[in-house]
């Protein structure tokens, strides 16, 4: 038996999907808000999302020097979209019903109340294991 047997993949706990009513605008036949289903993303997926949302910004007064800057709202938007299982944000019929063509546009069209969208973003960040919201970390870094 290996000294690392406890670390083998077979011993790793499976993370269950979560549920959250993302908007009060979409309800069932009894008037209760529909619960959306979310999955945990991997660290690798998160790194890719973060890289895709990072741009190089020139350092003021220093030619040819750049620093990375994350587009926070875009990152959160893509993090939410990547986490959604139900409804299927990639479904063309659903996208067409909102007259949009990407999962991110559909997300914003379906959850069009800014307060609800902010709550959804907070839920997703906690669900994905970020105890402090990404925006809080950005604000902390600025101060």
């Amino acid at each position: 038996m290996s000294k690392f047997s406890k670390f083998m993949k077979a011993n790793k706990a499976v993370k269950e999907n979560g549920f959250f009513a993302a908007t009060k605008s979409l309800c069932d036949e009894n008037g209760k808000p529909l619960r959306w289903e979310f999955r945990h993303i991997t660290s690798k997926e998160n790194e890719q999302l973060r890289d895709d949302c990072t741009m190089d910004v020139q350092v003021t007064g220093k030619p040819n020097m750049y620093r990375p800057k994350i587009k926070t709202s875009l990152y959160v938007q893509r993090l939410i979209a990547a986490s959604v299982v139900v409804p299927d944000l990639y479904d063309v019929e659903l996208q067409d019903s909102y007259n949009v063509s990407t999962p991110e546009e559909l997300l914003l069209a379906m959850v069009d109340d800014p307060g609800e969208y902010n709550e959804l973003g907070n839920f997703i960040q906690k669900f994905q294991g970020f105890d402090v919201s990404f925006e809080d970390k950005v604000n902390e870094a600025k101060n």
Side-chain angles (χ1 to χ4, degrees), residues 52-142:
D52 291 346
C53 296
T54 302
M55 62 181 188
D56 288 331
V57 177
Q58 187 169 4
V59 176
T60 306
K62 303 214 175 181
N64 300 323
M65 279 197 76
Y66 296 87
R67 65 175 176 80
K69 180 181 180 191
I70 296 177
K71 296 179 183 178
T72 330
S73 59
L74 181 62
Y75 169 73
V76 171
Q77 184 183 83
R78 289 186 178 176
L79 179 64
I80 295 170
S83 303
V84 175
V85 175
V86 175
D88 181 0
L89 299 180
Y90 290 87
D91 184 80
V92 174
E93 184 179 2
L94 187 56
Q95 289 177 358
D96 288 348
S97 77
Y98 284 89
N99 200 28
V100 298
S101 59
T102 68
E104 293 82 11
E105 289 174 324
L106 180 57
L107 172 65
L108 291 173
M110 293 178 80
V111 186
D112 59 355
D113 181 276
E116 289 178 342
Y117 184 77
N118 192 42
E119 284 181 39
L120 176 59
N122 289 336
F123 166 79
I124 286 297
Q125 290 176 63
K126 287 178 185 167
F127 178 72
Q128 295 298 355
F130 299 107
D131 294 337
V132 179
S133 78
F134 189 77
E135 289 176 354
D136 289 342
K137 287 181 181 181
V138 169
N139 289 334
E140 182 180 317
K142 288 180 182 177

Side-chain angles (χ1 to χ4, degrees), residues 31-45:
K32 287 182 70 179
L34 296 173
R35 290 178 28 165
W36 294 26
E37 183 177 356
F38 300 92
R39 70 178 183 89
H40 288 274
I41 64 167
T42 65
S43 295
K44 185 176 181 178
E45 288 173 301

